[in-house]
mmCIF file of all heavy atoms in Angstrom:
data_model
loop_
_atom_site.group_PDB
_atom_site.id
_atom_site.type_symbol
_atom_site.label_atom_id
_atom_site.label_comp_id
_atom_site.label_asym_id
_atom_site.label_seq_id
_atom_site.Cartn_x
_atom_site.Cartn_y
_atom_site.Cartn_z
ATOM 1 N N ILE B 20 -5.430 -19.432 7.972
ATOM 2 C CA ILE B 20 -4.381 -18.467 7.681
ATOM 3 C C ILE B 20 -5.029 -17.217 7.097
ATOM 4 O O ILE B 20 -5.685 -17.265 6.068
ATOM 5 C CB ILE B 20 -3.354 -19.044 6.685
ATOM 6 C CG1 ILE B 20 -2.587 -20.171 7.343
ATOM 7 C CG2 ILE B 20 -2.408 -17.963 6.228
ATOM 8 C CD1 ILE B 20 -3.019 -21.533 6.941
ATOM 9 N N ILE B 22 -4.717 -13.083 5.931
ATOM 10 C CA ILE B 22 -3.831 -12.000 5.531
ATOM 11 C C ILE B 22 -4.424 -10.715 6.068
ATOM 12 O O ILE B 22 -5.505 -10.304 5.659
ATOM 13 C CB ILE B 22 -3.692 -11.927 4.004
ATOM 14 C CG1 ILE B 22 -3.363 -13.282 3.424
ATOM 15 C CG2 ILE B 22 -2.683 -10.872 3.603
ATOM 16 C CD1 ILE B 22 -1.941 -13.695 3.577
ATOM 17 N N ASP B 24 -6.446 -8.075 7.761
ATOM 18 C CA ASP B 24 -7.740 -8.066 8.416
ATOM 19 C C ASP B 24 -8.695 -9.032 7.736
ATOM 20 O O ASP B 24 -8.293 -9.884 6.955
ATOM 21 C CB ASP B 24 -8.308 -6.642 8.439
ATOM 22 C CG ASP B 24 -8.681 -6.206 7.034
ATOM 23 O OD1 ASP B 24 -8.302 -6.914 6.075
ATOM 24 O OD2 ASP B 24 -9.337 -5.168 6.891
ATOM 25 N N ARG B 40 -13.826 -2.692 -10.499
ATOM 26 C CA ARG B 40 -14.501 -1.490 -10.022
ATOM 27 C C ARG B 40 -15.038 -1.712 -8.617
ATOM 28 O O ARG B 40 -15.177 -2.841 -8.149
ATOM 29 C CB ARG B 40 -15.640 -1.125 -10.966
ATOM 30 C CG ARG B 40 -15.164 -0.903 -12.380
ATOM 31 C CD ARG B 40 -16.292 -0.453 -13.267
ATOM 32 N NE ARG B 40 -16.900 0.782 -12.768
ATOM 33 C CZ ARG B 40 -17.827 1.457 -13.418
ATOM 34 N NH1 ARG B 40 -18.248 1.019 -14.594
ATOM 35 N NH2 ARG B 40 -18.346 2.551 -12.914
ATOM 36 N N PHE B 41 -15.353 -0.598 -7.974
ATOM 37 C CA PHE B 41 -15.866 -0.648 -6.609
ATOM 38 C C PHE B 41 -17.073 -1.585 -6.498
ATOM 39 O O PHE B 41 -17.135 -2.445 -5.620
ATOM 40 C CB PHE B 41 -16.246 0.766 -6.155
ATOM 41 C CG PHE B 41 -16.600 0.881 -4.707
ATOM 42 C CD1 PHE B 41 -15.624 1.112 -3.752
ATOM 43 C CD2 PHE B 41 -17.919 0.755 -4.293
ATOM 44 C CE1 PHE B 41 -15.949 1.228 -2.410
ATOM 45 C CE2 PHE B 41 -18.247 0.860 -2.952
ATOM 46 C CZ PHE B 41 -17.264 1.104 -2.020
ATOM 47 N N THR B 42 -18.016 -1.417 -7.413
ATOM 48 C CA THR B 42 -19.249 -2.194 -7.329
ATOM 49 C C THR B 42 -18.999 -3.673 -7.576
ATOM 50 O O THR B 42 -19.644 -4.528 -6.959
ATOM 51 C CB THR B 42 -20.261 -1.666 -8.356
ATOM 52 O OG1 THR B 42 -20.353 -0.249 -8.217
ATOM 53 C CG2 THR B 42 -21.616 -2.283 -8.116
ATOM 54 N N LEU B 48 -17.960 -9.647 -2.664
ATOM 55 C CA LEU B 48 -17.773 -9.725 -1.219
ATOM 56 C C LEU B 48 -19.125 -9.549 -0.552
ATOM 57 O O LEU B 48 -19.407 -8.530 0.060
ATOM 58 C CB LEU B 48 -16.784 -8.656 -0.755
ATOM 59 C CG LEU B 48 -15.415 -8.707 -1.429
ATOM 60 C CD1 LEU B 48 -14.606 -7.481 -1.082
ATOM 61 C CD2 LEU B 48 -14.690 -9.962 -1.003
ATOM 62 N N LYS B 54 -18.809 1.321 3.594
ATOM 63 C CA LYS B 54 -17.848 1.877 4.549
ATOM 64 C C LYS B 54 -16.671 0.942 4.767
ATOM 65 O O LYS B 54 -15.510 1.353 4.664
ATOM 66 C CB LYS B 54 -18.536 2.139 5.884
ATOM 67 C CG LYS B 54 -17.588 2.538 6.976
ATOM 68 C CD LYS B 54 -18.214 2.280 8.341
ATOM 69 C CE LYS B 54 -17.171 2.378 9.428
ATOM 70 N NZ LYS B 54 -17.688 1.878 10.710
ATOM 71 N N ARG B 61 -8.664 1.554 1.259
ATOM 72 C CA ARG B 61 -7.768 2.646 1.639
ATOM 73 C C ARG B 61 -6.532 2.109 2.371
ATOM 74 O O ARG B 61 -5.400 2.521 2.121
ATOM 75 C CB ARG B 61 -8.495 3.648 2.533
ATOM 76 C CG ARG B 61 -9.531 4.482 1.868
ATOM 77 C CD ARG B 61 -8.932 5.641 1.078
ATOM 78 N NE ARG B 61 -10.002 6.491 0.538
ATOM 79 C CZ ARG B 61 -10.702 6.220 -0.537
ATOM 80 N NH1 ARG B 61 -10.462 5.122 -1.244
ATOM 81 N NH2 ARG B 61 -11.659 7.035 -0.941
ATOM 82 N N ALA B 62 -6.757 1.184 3.280
ATOM 83 C CA ALA B 62 -5.639 0.616 4.038
ATOM 84 C C ALA B 62 -4.677 -0.114 3.108
ATOM 85 O O ALA B 62 -3.452 -0.005 3.240
ATOM 86 C CB ALA B 62 -6.165 -0.334 5.119
ATOM 87 N N GLU B 64 -4.303 0.451 -0.090
ATOM 88 C CA GLU B 64 -3.648 1.455 -0.919
ATOM 89 C C GLU B 64 -2.489 2.085 -0.132
ATOM 90 O O GLU B 64 -1.391 2.272 -0.655
ATOM 91 C CB GLU B 64 -4.665 2.524 -1.328
ATOM 92 C CG GLU B 64 -4.136 3.537 -2.318
ATOM 93 C CD GLU B 64 -5.123 4.677 -2.513
ATOM 94 O OE1 GLU B 64 -6.153 4.712 -1.821
ATOM 95 O OE2 GLU B 64 -4.837 5.551 -3.359
ATOM 96 N N ASP B 66 -0.763 0.753 2.125
ATOM 97 C CA ASP B 66 0.347 -0.193 2.267
ATOM 98 C C ASP B 66 0.963 -0.576 0.925
ATOM 99 O O ASP B 66 1.813 -1.471 0.874
ATOM 100 C CB ASP B 66 -0.138 -1.463 2.986
ATOM 101 C CG ASP B 66 -0.378 -1.205 4.461
ATOM 102 O OD1 ASP B 66 0.038 -0.139 4.957
ATOM 103 O OD2 ASP B 66 -0.989 -2.072 5.112
ATOM 104 N N LEU B 69 -2.332 -2.074 -3.549
ATOM 105 C CA LEU B 69 -3.131 -1.826 -4.750
ATOM 106 C C LEU B 69 -3.132 -0.338 -5.067
ATOM 107 O O LEU B 69 -2.750 0.498 -4.246
ATOM 108 C CB LEU B 69 -4.557 -2.358 -4.575
ATOM 109 C CG LEU B 69 -5.377 -1.951 -3.344
ATOM 110 C CD1 LEU B 69 -5.943 -0.550 -3.470
ATOM 111 C CD2 LEU B 69 -6.508 -2.931 -3.131
ATOM 112 N N THR B 72 -7.607 4.256 -9.080
ATOM 113 C CA THR B 72 -7.639 5.178 -10.217
ATOM 114 C C THR B 72 -9.064 5.667 -10.407
ATOM 115 O O THR B 72 -9.970 4.879 -10.691
ATOM 116 C CB THR B 72 -7.163 4.481 -11.503
ATOM 117 O OG1 THR B 72 -5.910 3.846 -11.244
ATOM 118 C CG2 THR B 72 -6.997 5.503 -12.611
ATOM 119 N N ASP B 75 -12.635 10.993 -14.086
ATOM 120 C CA ASP B 75 -13.515 12.136 -13.830
ATOM 121 C C ASP B 75 -14.676 12.114 -14.816
ATOM 122 O O ASP B 75 -14.701 12.863 -15.785
ATOM 123 C CB ASP B 75 -12.711 13.437 -13.944
ATOM 124 C CG ASP B 75 -13.273 14.502 -13.005
ATOM 125 O OD1 ASP B 75 -14.242 14.184 -12.304
ATOM 126 O OD2 ASP B 75 -12.732 15.611 -12.985
ATOM 127 N N LEU B 85 -4.145 -4.483 -8.421
ATOM 128 C CA LEU B 85 -3.041 -4.925 -7.578
ATOM 129 C C LEU B 85 -1.725 -4.327 -8.057
ATOM 130 O O LEU B 85 -1.477 -4.226 -9.253
ATOM 131 C CB LEU B 85 -2.932 -6.449 -7.591
ATOM 132 C CG LEU B 85 -3.971 -7.250 -6.811
ATOM 133 C CD1 LEU B 85 -3.666 -8.738 -6.934
ATOM 134 C CD2 LEU B 85 -4.016 -6.830 -5.363
ATOM 135 N N THR B 86 -0.891 -3.945 -7.108
ATOM 136 C CA THR B 86 0.485 -3.614 -7.442
ATOM 137 C C THR B 86 1.314 -4.902 -7.474
ATOM 138 O O THR B 86 0.813 -5.984 -7.147
ATOM 139 C CB THR B 86 1.089 -2.679 -6.389
ATOM 140 O OG1 THR B 86 1.066 -3.351 -5.131
ATOM 141 C CG2 THR B 86 0.289 -1.388 -6.282
ATOM 142 N N LEU B 88 3.597 -5.548 -5.443
ATOM 143 C CA LEU B 88 3.665 -5.956 -4.036
ATOM 144 C C LEU B 88 2.413 -6.724 -3.637
ATOM 145 O O LEU B 88 2.480 -7.787 -3.012
ATOM 146 C CB LEU B 88 3.841 -4.721 -3.150
ATOM 147 C CG LEU B 88 3.968 -4.981 -1.656
ATOM 148 C CD1 LEU B 88 5.137 -5.894 -1.361
ATOM 149 C CD2 LEU B 88 4.111 -3.672 -0.886
ATOM 150 N N SER B 91 2.381 -10.107 -5.062
ATOM 151 C CA SER B 91 3.326 -11.030 -4.428
ATOM 152 C C SER B 91 2.701 -11.721 -3.217
ATOM 153 O O SER B 91 3.174 -12.758 -2.772
ATOM 154 C CB SER B 91 4.587 -10.277 -3.998
ATOM 155 O OG SER B 91 4.326 -9.457 -2.877
ATOM 156 N N LEU B 92 1.631 -11.138 -2.695
ATOM 157 C CA LEU B 92 0.946 -11.777 -1.573
ATOM 158 C C LEU B 92 0.315 -13.105 -1.973
ATOM 159 O O LEU B 92 0.032 -13.950 -1.121
ATOM 160 C CB LEU B 92 -0.143 -10.851 -1.023
ATOM 161 C CG LEU B 92 0.245 -9.954 0.136
ATOM 162 C CD1 LEU B 92 -0.947 -9.109 0.555
ATOM 163 C CD2 LEU B 92 0.719 -10.785 1.313
ATOM 164 N N MET B 96 -0.273 -16.710 0.173
ATOM 165 C CA MET B 96 -1.688 -17.082 0.233
ATOM 166 C C MET B 96 -1.901 -18.470 -0.344
ATOM 167 O O MET B 96 -2.665 -19.276 0.194
ATOM 168 C CB MET B 96 -2.529 -16.056 -0.527
ATOM 169 C CG MET B 96 -2.811 -14.796 0.269
ATOM 170 S SD MET B 96 -3.692 -13.550 -0.716
ATOM 171 C CE MET B 96 -5.179 -14.423 -1.163
ATOM 172 N N SER B 108 -9.472 -31.050 6.596
ATOM 173 C CA SER B 108 -10.375 -32.111 7.031
ATOM 174 C C SER B 108 -9.946 -32.665 8.380
ATOM 175 O O SER B 108 -10.791 -32.999 9.218
ATOM 176 C CB SER B 108 -10.403 -33.224 5.986
ATOM 177 O OG SER B 108 -9.098 -33.762 5.825
ATOM 178 N N ILE B 111 -11.204 -30.266 10.972
ATOM 179 C CA ILE B 111 -12.648 -30.415 11.163
ATOM 180 C C ILE B 111 -12.937 -31.666 11.991
ATOM 181 O O ILE B 111 -13.748 -31.649 12.928
ATOM 182 C CB ILE B 111 -13.355 -30.504 9.796
ATOM 183 C CG1 ILE B 111 -13.044 -29.252 8.957
ATOM 184 C CG2 ILE B 111 -14.852 -30.660 9.985
ATOM 185 C CD1 ILE B 111 -13.674 -28.005 9.442
ATOM 186 N N LYS B 115 -14.780 -32.063 15.572
ATOM 187 C CA LYS B 115 -15.957 -32.908 15.772
ATOM 188 C C LYS B 115 -15.763 -33.841 16.964
ATOM 189 O O LYS B 115 -16.616 -33.940 17.843
ATOM 190 C CB LYS B 115 -16.220 -33.736 14.512
ATOM 191 C CG LYS B 115 -17.074 -33.017 13.471
ATOM 192 C CD LYS B 115 -17.332 -33.953 12.287
ATOM 193 C CE LYS B 115 -17.903 -33.171 11.104
ATOM 194 N NZ LYS B 115 -17.854 -33.968 9.860
ATOM 195 N N ALA B 120 -16.829 -35.359 22.699
ATOM 196 C CA ALA B 120 -16.301 -35.714 24.026
ATOM 197 C C ALA B 120 -16.742 -34.721 25.099
ATOM 198 O O ALA B 120 -16.072 -34.596 26.129
ATOM 199 C CB ALA B 120 -14.780 -35.800 23.963
#
Side-chain angles (χ1 to χ4, degrees):
Chain B
I20 293 102
I22 310 282
D24 69 349
R40 302 184 58 174
F41 188 88
T42 310
L48 303 170
K54 172 201 167 191
R61 289 281 185 280
E64 186 189 5
D66 287 348
L69 52 78
T72 309
D75 211 1
L85 286 181
T86 61
L88 182 58
S91 72
L92 266 180
M96 280 175 59
S108 60
I111 302 290
K115 273 183 193 166

